[in-house]
Amino acid sequence: LFAKLTDEPCLVIGGGEIAARKIRQLQRAGARITVVAPELNGELRAAVDSGLYAYIEQEFSEALIGDHLLLTVATGDRAVNQRVASAASAARRLCNVVDDRELSTFIMPSVIDRSPIVVAVSSGGHSPILARMLRQRIEDWLPERIGELASWAGKWRSTAHQKILGHASR
């Protein structure tokens, strides 16, 4: 999902390893994260204790959706996942249920971040493992400093537009 999430409220339901991975993706995007779960694994507990995001220690409740722009569900409990997806749909919020494309309204791709160059690979939820394998191959091929090149080119973009007329020439 390519979306501007800087300072946008996002809700993550789940407190395990998969939730932690999804939270890291949202953090890289600058989202304001709230986690809802009856308990957290060690990594998430440490992050909460250091103030990285808010934590609500309880089972999911529809009232928690509030003004959250998107929800990520990583509970491993299909009944809970269905309940969250239904509530998100009723509230007209984007919802990703990890490993369940049928319940999801968006898919989080496997991402290579060489900011400002970002490459996303997705199988549309059909084979996340294959998408991750392909991402790894592209990542191995993509130069480490390609982001620096893009930033440098960005500094010259306006000048190039003024001096070199026509898209094909630039």
Side-chain angles (χ1 to χ4, degrees), residues 16-48:
E17 180 182 332
I18 295 170
R21 187 173 73 234
K22 298 303 180 180
I23 288 168
R24 286 190 295 273
Q25 288 177 313
L26 291 168
Q27 284 176 314
R28 284 192 295 273
R32 218 172 358 105
I33 302 164
T34 299
V35 179
V36 175
E39 57 187 74
L40 299 175
N41 72 8
E43 175 188 349
L44 294 178
R45 174 58 66 190
V48 164

Side-chain angles (χ1 to χ4, degrees), residues 48-122:
V48 164
D49 290 346
S50 68
L52 286 178
Y53 46 81
Y55 173 50
I56 301 172
E57 187 175 353
Q58 70 176 61
E59 295 287 337
F60 174 78
S61 139
E62 290 79 2
L64 295 172
I65 292 176
D67 67 346
H68 291 97
L69 178 65
L70 65 82
L71 288 75
T72 299
V73 189
T75 70
D77 181 328
R78 179 130 173 101
V80 172
N81 295 351
Q82 286 178 316
R83 198 162 49 82
V84 175
S86 293
S89 178
R92 304 201 39 83
R93 299 295 192 273
L94 293 172
C95 182
N96 173 256
V97 179
V98 175
D99 291 335
D100 194 330
R101 66 188 180 119
E102 297 303 319
L103 291 178
S104 299
T105 56
F106 76 94
I107 301 292
M108 291 182 75
S110 192
V111 174
I112 302 164
D113 188 350
R114 302 266 204 288
S115 291
I117 298 294
V118 178
V119 179
V121 179
S122 175

